[in-house]
Amino acid sequence: MESKVRLFGHAVHQMLVVFPLGLLGASVVFDLLALVGGYSLMAVVAYYLILAGVIGGLLAAPFGAIDWLAIPAGTRAKSVGALHAGGNVIVLVAFAGSAWLRYAEPAVPPVLALVLSFGGAALSLVTAWLGGELVDRMGVGVSDGAHLNAPSSLRHRSVAAERPTR
Ligand code: HEM
């Protein structure tokens, strides 16, 4: 199923998800550096990475929702997409809660803030896998009729008509 929101022929959601995954994932690394190395500056960096990651997730989510709404009901993709979406809402709420708890003193995050962000990061691994299952296994957000000799997305809006003679 082709993505409903594409830029230069590629799914916008798949472009944008690198930001929440990268930034929120990096915040855990910086928190660990702060915990293990005692560098409170690293915790401050983690705080701003969380803020940027949550904004990135809020930007990516609507494009995922548009594609999810286009998935036919009753398919495995629809239910996997719902799990993916619901899980990612929990991920964003957990990280937003963590940022809120850190707001007063980002250099010294309370234990609950770390529990929320580490837990959110663990859940994001599961939801990212579900996202990959949607794309790689069920072809959501992949050009209809995609094949190894498909012409450039910049030249041709659809591939189906271009099916190769294998
Ligand atoms: C923090 C928020 C989110 C993150 C980090 C995220 C992450 C991902 C990832 C990693 C993929 C697989 C991309 C690939 O393999 O190329 C994906 C695909 C997908 N996600 Fe999300 N997602 C988020 C929110 C949502 C939401 C809220 C929805 C729907 C309501 C959604 C619907 C989809 C759909 C339908 C796909 C299949 C590919 C596509 O349509 O482009 N995602 N997502």
Side-chain angles (χ1 to χ4, degrees), residues 3 11 13-14 17 20-21 57 61 64-65 67-68 71 84-85 88 92 128 131-132 134-136 140-141:
S3 171
H13 183 65
Q14 295 171 43
V17 297
L21 289 176
D67 281 349
W68 182 74
I71 300 173
H84 169 79
N88 279 316
L92 291 183
L134 285 168
V135 175
D136 303 335
V140 180

PDB file of all heavy atoms in Angstrom, residues 3 11 13-14 17 20-21 57 61 64-65 67-68 71 84-85 88 92 128 131-132 134-136 140-141, ligand 1:
ATOM      1  N   SER A   3       2.175   4.989   0.508  1.00  0.00           N
ATOM      2  CA  SER A   3       1.919   5.986   1.535  1.00  0.00           C
ATOM      3  C   SER A   3       1.048   7.095   0.946  1.00  0.00           C
ATOM      4  O   SER A   3       1.178   7.428  -0.232  1.00  0.00           O
ATOM      5  CB  SER A   3       3.237   6.588   2.028  1.00  0.00           C
ATOM      6  OG  SER A   3       2.975   7.685   2.875  1.00  0.00           O
ATOM      7  N   ALA A  11       7.661   7.996   1.588  1.00  0.00           N
ATOM      8  CA  ALA A  11       6.720   8.232   2.695  1.00  0.00           C
ATOM      9  C   ALA A  11       7.291   9.226   3.707  1.00  0.00           C
ATOM     10  O   ALA A  11       8.393   9.015   4.223  1.00  0.00           O
ATOM     11  CB  ALA A  11       6.408   6.909   3.384  1.00  0.00           C
ATOM     12  N   HIS A  13       6.248   9.896   6.800  1.00  0.00           N
ATOM     13  CA  HIS A  13       6.344   9.338   8.146  1.00  0.00           C
ATOM     14  C   HIS A  13       7.671   8.608   8.344  1.00  0.00           C
ATOM     15  O   HIS A  13       8.345   8.794   9.355  1.00  0.00           O
ATOM     16  CB  HIS A  13       5.182   8.390   8.415  1.00  0.00           C
ATOM     17  CG  HIS A  13       5.157   7.830   9.798  1.00  0.00           C
ATOM     18  ND1 HIS A  13       4.958   8.587  10.918  1.00  0.00           N
ATOM     19  CD2 HIS A  13       5.348   6.562  10.238  1.00  0.00           C
ATOM     20  CE1 HIS A  13       4.983   7.824  11.991  1.00  0.00           C
ATOM     21  NE2 HIS A  13       5.227   6.592  11.620  1.00  0.00           N
ATOM     22  N   GLN A  14       8.045   7.819   7.349  1.00  0.00           N
ATOM     23  CA  GLN A  14       9.287   7.051   7.468  1.00  0.00           C
ATOM     24  C   GLN A  14      10.520   7.963   7.492  1.00  0.00           C
ATOM     25  O   GLN A  14      11.541   7.592   8.045  1.00  0.00           O
ATOM     26  CB  GLN A  14       9.390   6.043   6.311  1.00  0.00           C
ATOM     27  CG  GLN A  14       8.302   4.981   6.386  1.00  0.00           C
ATOM     28  CD  GLN A  14       8.262   4.137   5.142  1.00  0.00           C
ATOM     29  OE1 GLN A  14       9.287   3.719   4.613  1.00  0.00           O
ATOM     30  NE2 GLN A  14       7.053   3.870   4.647  1.00  0.00           N
ATOM     31  N   VAL A  17      10.423   9.710  11.331  1.00  0.00           N
ATOM     32  CA  VAL A  17      10.544   8.916  12.562  1.00  0.00           C
ATOM     33  C   VAL A  17      11.985   8.792  13.050  1.00  0.00           C
ATOM     34  O   VAL A  17      12.220   8.449  14.206  1.00  0.00           O
ATOM     35  CB  VAL A  17       9.920   7.512  12.398  1.00  0.00           C
ATOM     36  CG1 VAL A  17       8.438   7.617  12.135  1.00  0.00           C
ATOM     37  CG2 VAL A  17      10.631   6.699  11.335  1.00  0.00           C
ATOM     38  N   PRO A  20      12.406  11.310  16.373  1.00  0.00           N
ATOM     39  CA  PRO A  20      12.089  10.848  17.735  1.00  0.00           C
ATOM     40  C   PRO A  20      12.931   9.650  18.158  1.00  0.00           C
ATOM     41  O   PRO A  20      13.425   9.604  19.285  1.00  0.00           O
ATOM     42  CB  PRO A  20      10.608  10.503  17.655  1.00  0.00           C
ATOM     43  CG  PRO A  20      10.295  10.378  16.211  1.00  0.00           C
ATOM     44  CD  PRO A  20      11.218  11.315  15.512  1.00  0.00           C
ATOM     45  N   LEU A  21      13.126   8.695  17.240  1.00  0.00           N
ATOM     46  CA  LEU A  21      13.887   7.500  17.632  1.00  0.00           C
ATOM     47  C   LEU A  21      15.331   7.862  17.967  1.00  0.00           C
ATOM     48  O   LEU A  21      15.876   7.413  18.975  1.00  0.00           O
ATOM     49  CB  LEU A  21      13.844   6.450  16.517  1.00  0.00           C
ATOM     50  CG  LEU A  21      12.506   5.761  16.321  1.00  0.00           C
ATOM     51  CD1 LEU A  21      12.559   4.803  15.132  1.00  0.00           C
ATOM     52  CD2 LEU A  21      12.091   5.025  17.570  1.00  0.00           C
ATOM     53  N   GLY A  57       8.443  13.495  17.498  1.00  0.00           N
ATOM     54  CA  GLY A  57       7.393  12.479  17.478  1.00  0.00           C
ATOM     55  C   GLY A  57       6.036  13.077  17.151  1.00  0.00           C
ATOM     56  O   GLY A  57       5.255  12.495  16.389  1.00  0.00           O
ATOM     57  N   ALA A  61       3.907  11.769  13.946  1.00  0.00           N
ATOM     58  CA  ALA A  61       2.687  10.985  14.193  1.00  0.00           C
ATOM     59  C   ALA A  61       1.540  11.256  13.211  1.00  0.00           C
ATOM     60  O   ALA A  61       0.942  10.293  12.697  1.00  0.00           O
ATOM     61  CB  ALA A  61       2.231  11.204  15.636  1.00  0.00           C
ATOM     62  N   GLY A  64       1.851   9.301  10.073  1.00  0.00           N
ATOM     63  CA  GLY A  64       1.592   7.883  10.291  1.00  0.00           C
ATOM     64  C   GLY A  64       0.100   7.620  10.394  1.00  0.00           C
ATOM     65  O   GLY A  64      -0.419   6.624   9.870  1.00  0.00           O
ATOM     66  N   ALA A  65      -0.600   8.556  11.060  1.00  0.00           N
ATOM     67  CA  ALA A  65      -2.048   8.389  11.234  1.00  0.00           C
ATOM     68  C   ALA A  65      -2.766   8.418   9.886  1.00  0.00           C
ATOM     69  O   ALA A  65      -3.694   7.622   9.651  1.00  0.00           O
ATOM     70  CB  ALA A  65      -2.577   9.494  12.144  1.00  0.00           C
ATOM     71  N   ASP A  67      -1.613   7.459   6.988  1.00  0.00           N
ATOM     72  CA  ASP A  67      -1.394   6.165   6.334  1.00  0.00           C
ATOM     73  C   ASP A  67      -2.196   5.067   7.029  1.00  0.00           C
ATOM     74  O   ASP A  67      -2.779   4.199   6.370  1.00  0.00           O
ATOM     75  CB  ASP A  67       0.100   5.819   6.329  1.00  0.00           C
ATOM     76  CG  ASP A  67       0.856   6.572   5.239  1.00  0.00           C
ATOM     77  OD1 ASP A  67       0.196   7.177   4.383  1.00  0.00           O
ATOM     78  OD2 ASP A  67       2.093   6.569   5.271  1.00  0.00           O
ATOM     79  N   TRP A  68      -2.221   5.132   8.371  1.00  0.00           N
ATOM     80  CA  TRP A  68      -2.953   4.080   9.102  1.00  0.00           C
ATOM     81  C   TRP A  68      -4.444   4.106   8.755  1.00  0.00           C
ATOM     82  O   TRP A  68      -5.059   3.062   8.557  1.00  0.00           O
ATOM     83  CB  TRP A  68      -2.773   4.252  10.614  1.00  0.00           C
ATOM     84  CG  TRP A  68      -3.461   3.191  11.385  1.00  0.00           C
ATOM     85  CD1 TRP A  68      -3.071   1.892  11.523  1.00  0.00           C
ATOM     86  CD2 TRP A  68      -4.709   3.300  12.076  1.00  0.00           C
ATOM     87  NE1 TRP A  68      -4.004   1.192  12.257  1.00  0.00           N
ATOM     88  CE2 TRP A  68      -5.013   2.036  12.615  1.00  0.00           C
ATOM     89  CE3 TRP A  68      -5.595   4.350  12.300  1.00  0.00           C
ATOM     90  CZ2 TRP A  68      -6.152   1.798  13.371  1.00  0.00           C
ATOM     91  CZ3 TRP A  68      -6.736   4.116  13.050  1.00  0.00           C
ATOM     92  CH2 TRP A  68      -7.000   2.848  13.570  1.00  0.00           C
ATOM     93  N   ILE A  71      -5.295   2.152   5.685  1.00  0.00           N
ATOM     94  CA  ILE A  71      -5.146   0.694   5.680  1.00  0.00           C
ATOM     95  C   ILE A  71      -6.539   0.068   5.801  1.00  0.00           C
ATOM     96  O   ILE A  71      -7.325   0.461   6.667  1.00  0.00           O
ATOM     97  CB  ILE A  71      -4.269   0.212   6.851  1.00  0.00           C
ATOM     98  CG1 ILE A  71      -2.858   0.810   6.779  1.00  0.00           C
ATOM     99  CG2 ILE A  71      -4.193  -1.320   6.885  1.00  0.00           C
ATOM    100  CD1 ILE A  71      -1.989   0.504   7.994  1.00  0.00           C
ATOM    101  N   HIS A  84       1.082  -0.197  17.171  1.00  0.00           N
ATOM    102  CA  HIS A  84       2.232   0.694  16.945  1.00  0.00           C
ATOM    103  C   HIS A  84       1.898   2.115  17.372  1.00  0.00           C
ATOM    104  O   HIS A  84       2.647   2.760  18.099  1.00  0.00           O
ATOM    105  CB  HIS A  84       2.584   0.628  15.462  1.00  0.00           C
ATOM    106  CG  HIS A  84       3.551   1.653  14.981  1.00  0.00           C
ATOM    107  ND1 HIS A  84       4.911   1.559  15.174  1.00  0.00           N
ATOM    108  CD2 HIS A  84       3.357   2.809  14.296  1.00  0.00           C
ATOM    109  CE1 HIS A  84       5.494   2.605  14.625  1.00  0.00           C
ATOM    110  NE2 HIS A  84       4.584   3.382  14.091  1.00  0.00           N
ATOM    111  N   ALA A  85       0.741   2.582  16.935  1.00  0.00           N
ATOM    112  CA  ALA A  85       0.327   3.966  17.244  1.00  0.00           C
ATOM    113  C   ALA A  85       0.092   4.142  18.741  1.00  0.00           C
ATOM    114  O   ALA A  85       0.617   5.072  19.360  1.00  0.00           O
ATOM    115  CB  ALA A  85      -0.940   4.299  16.468  1.00  0.00           C
ATOM    116  N   ASN A  88       3.267   4.149  20.646  1.00  0.00           N
ATOM    117  CA  ASN A  88       4.034   5.379  20.472  1.00  0.00           C
ATOM    118  C   ASN A  88       3.428   6.558  21.212  1.00  0.00           C
ATOM    119  O   ASN A  88       4.150   7.462  21.638  1.00  0.00           O
ATOM    120  CB  ASN A  88       4.204   5.685  18.984  1.00  0.00           C
ATOM    121  CG  ASN A  88       5.329   4.875  18.390  1.00  0.00           C
ATOM    122  OD1 ASN A  88       6.388   4.752  18.990  1.00  0.00           O
ATOM    123  ND2 ASN A  88       5.091   4.299  17.236  1.00  0.00           N
ATOM    124  N   LEU A  92       5.591   8.740  23.856  1.00  0.00           N
ATOM    125  CA  LEU A  92       5.683  10.214  23.893  1.00  0.00           C
ATOM    126  C   LEU A  92       5.215  10.771  25.232  1.00  0.00           C
ATOM    127  O   LEU A  92       5.824  11.695  25.771  1.00  0.00           O
ATOM    128  CB  LEU A  92       4.878  10.816  22.739  1.00  0.00           C
ATOM    129  CG  LEU A  92       5.430  10.575  21.340  1.00  0.00           C
ATOM    130  CD1 LEU A  92       4.573  11.286  20.296  1.00  0.00           C
ATOM    131  CD2 LEU A  92       6.882  11.044  21.230  1.00  0.00           C
ATOM    132  N   ALA A 128       8.904   0.389  17.314  1.00  0.00           N
ATOM    133  CA  ALA A 128       9.659   0.548  16.061  1.00  0.00           C
ATOM    134  C   ALA A 128       9.659  -0.765  15.277  1.00  0.00           C
ATOM    135  O   ALA A 128       9.526  -0.773  14.042  1.00  0.00           O
ATOM    136  CB  ALA A 128      11.088   0.984  16.372  1.00  0.00           C
ATOM    137  N   GLY A 131       6.511  -1.032  13.557  1.00  0.00           N
ATOM    138  CA  GLY A 131       6.547  -0.166  12.380  1.00  0.00           C
ATOM    139  C   GLY A 131       7.264  -0.844  11.228  1.00  0.00           C
ATOM    140  O   GLY A 131       6.792  -0.830  10.078  1.00  0.00           O
ATOM    141  N   GLY A 132       8.393  -1.494  11.545  1.00  0.00           N
ATOM    142  CA  GLY A 132       9.128  -2.233  10.518  1.00  0.00           C
ATOM    143  C   GLY A 132       8.317  -3.394   9.964  1.00  0.00           C
ATOM    144  O   GLY A 132       8.372  -3.696   8.769  1.00  0.00           O
ATOM    145  N   LEU A 134       5.131  -3.399   9.639  1.00  0.00           N
ATOM    146  CA  LEU A 134       4.170  -2.782   8.718  1.00  0.00           C
ATOM    147  C   LEU A 134       4.795  -2.570   7.340  1.00  0.00           C
ATOM    148  O   LEU A 134       4.186  -2.859   6.309  1.00  0.00           O
ATOM    149  CB  LEU A 134       3.709  -1.437   9.280  1.00  0.00           C
ATOM    150  CG  LEU A 134       2.737  -1.457  10.442  1.00  0.00           C
ATOM    151  CD1 LEU A 134       2.624  -0.065  11.067  1.00  0.00           C
ATOM    152  CD2 LEU A 134       1.357  -1.931   9.994  1.00  0.00           C
ATOM    153  N   VAL A 135       6.038  -2.065   7.343  1.00  0.00           N
ATOM    154  CA  VAL A 135       6.695  -1.719   6.071  1.00  0.00           C
ATOM    155  C   VAL A 135       7.290  -2.950   5.398  1.00  0.00           C
ATOM    156  O   VAL A 135       6.939  -3.299   4.278  1.00  0.00           O
ATOM    157  CB  VAL A 135       7.792  -0.656   6.312  1.00  0.00           C
ATOM    158  CG1 VAL A 135       8.556  -0.383   5.033  1.00  0.00           C
ATOM    159  CG2 VAL A 135       7.180   0.618   6.867  1.00  0.00           C
ATOM    160  N   ASP A 136       8.197  -3.604   6.135  1.00  0.00           N
ATOM    161  CA  ASP A 136       8.983  -4.676   5.499  1.00  0.00           C
ATOM    162  C   ASP A 136       8.181  -5.940   5.263  1.00  0.00           C
ATOM    163  O   ASP A 136       8.407  -6.662   4.293  1.00  0.00           O
ATOM    164  CB  ASP A 136      10.196  -5.007   6.386  1.00  0.00           C
ATOM    165  CG  ASP A 136      11.043  -3.768   6.634  1.00  0.00           C
ATOM    166  OD1 ASP A 136      10.979  -2.853   5.796  1.00  0.00           O
ATOM    167  OD2 ASP A 136      11.719  -3.705   7.666  1.00  0.00           O
ATOM    168  N   VAL A 140       3.227  -1.699   3.894  1.00  0.00           N
ATOM    169  CA  VAL A 140       2.551  -0.416   4.126  1.00  0.00           C
ATOM    170  C   VAL A 140       3.561   0.706   3.926  1.00  0.00           C
ATOM    171  O   VAL A 140       4.659   0.660   4.484  1.00  0.00           O
ATOM    172  CB  VAL A 140       1.969  -0.337   5.550  1.00  0.00           C
ATOM    173  CG1 VAL A 140       1.278   1.005   5.759  1.00  0.00           C
ATOM    174  CG2 VAL A 140       1.006  -1.478   5.811  1.00  0.00           C
ATOM    175  N   GLY A 141       3.205   1.656   3.098  1.00  0.00           N
ATOM    176  CA  GLY A 141       4.129   2.753   2.835  1.00  0.00           C
ATOM    177  C   GLY A 141       5.169   2.412   1.786  1.00  0.00           C
ATOM    178  O   GLY A 141       6.141   3.135   1.610  1.00  0.00           O
TER     179      GLY A 141
HETATM  180  C1  HEM B   1       6.751   8.714  18.145  1.00  0.00           C
HETATM  181  C2  HEM B   1       5.957   8.396  17.211  1.00  0.00           C
HETATM  182  C3  HEM B   1       6.251   7.357  16.153  1.00  0.00           C
HETATM  183  C4  HEM B   1       7.423   6.733  15.815  1.00  0.00           C
HETATM  184  C5  HEM B   1       8.797   6.903  16.443  1.00  0.00           C
HETATM  185  C6  HEM B   1       7.112   5.823  14.717  1.00  0.00           C
HETATM  186  C7  HEM B   1       8.048   4.986  14.129  1.00  0.00           C
HETATM  187  C8  HEM B   1       7.799   4.235  12.997  1.00  0.00           C
HETATM  188  C9  HEM B   1       8.790   3.385  12.343  1.00  0.00           C
HETATM  189  C10 HEM B   1      10.241   3.184  12.799  1.00  0.00           C
HETATM  190  C11 HEM B   1       8.197   2.848  11.251  1.00  0.00           C
HETATM  191  C12 HEM B   1       8.852   1.888  10.228  1.00  0.00           C
HETATM  192  C13 HEM B   1       9.532   2.733   9.210  1.00  0.00           C
HETATM  193  C14 HEM B   1      10.322   1.937   8.226  1.00  0.00           C
HETATM  194  O1  HEM B   1      10.555   0.744   8.443  1.00  0.00           O
HETATM  195  O2  HEM B   1      10.714   2.537   7.228  1.00  0.00           O
HETATM  196  C15 HEM B   1       6.836   3.350  11.227  1.00  0.00           C
HETATM  197  C16 HEM B   1       5.929   3.029  10.262  1.00  0.00           C
HETATM  198  C17 HEM B   1       4.610   3.360  10.350  1.00  0.00           C
HETATM  199  N1  HEM B   1       3.978   4.058  11.374  1.00  0.00           N
HETATM  200 FE1  HEM B   1       4.879   4.973  12.879  1.00  0.00          FE
HETATM  201  N2  HEM B   1       5.790   5.906  14.410  1.00  0.00           N
HETATM  202  C18 HEM B   1       5.221   6.817  15.274  1.00  0.00           C
HETATM  203  C19 HEM B   1       3.889   7.161  15.381  1.00  0.00           C
HETATM  204  C20 HEM B   1       2.925   6.621  14.579  1.00  0.00           C
HETATM  205  C21 HEM B   1       1.505   6.872  14.730  1.00  0.00           C
HETATM  206  C22 HEM B   1       0.879   7.743  15.837  1.00  0.00           C
HETATM  207  C23 HEM B   1       0.873   6.180  13.729  1.00  0.00           C
HETATM  208  C24 HEM B   1      -0.581   6.037  13.388  1.00  0.00           C
HETATM  209  C25 HEM B   1      -1.580   6.510  13.976  1.00  0.00           C
HETATM  210  C26 HEM B   1       1.910   5.507  12.961  1.00  0.00           C
HETATM  211  C27 HEM B   1       1.654   4.735  11.849  1.00  0.00           C
HETATM  212  C28 HEM B   1       2.641   4.141  11.080  1.00  0.00           C
HETATM  213  C29 HEM B   1       2.392   3.496   9.777  1.00  0.00           C
HETATM  214  C30 HEM B   1       1.035   3.356   9.073  1.00  0.00           C
HETATM  215  C31 HEM B   1       3.621   3.007   9.326  1.00  0.00           C
HETATM  216  C32 HEM B   1       3.892   2.229   8.019  1.00  0.00           C
HETATM  217  C33 HEM B   1       4.760   3.047   7.082  1.00  0.00           C
HETATM  218  C34 HEM B   1       4.124   4.301   6.535  1.00  0.00           C
HETATM  219  O3  HEM B   1       2.923   4.341   6.417  1.00  0.00           O
HETATM  220  O4  HEM B   1       4.894   5.185   6.168  1.00  0.00           O
HETATM  221  N3  HEM B   1       3.141   5.776  13.498  1.00  0.00           N
HETATM  222  N4  HEM B   1       6.619   4.184  12.297  1.00  0.00           N
END
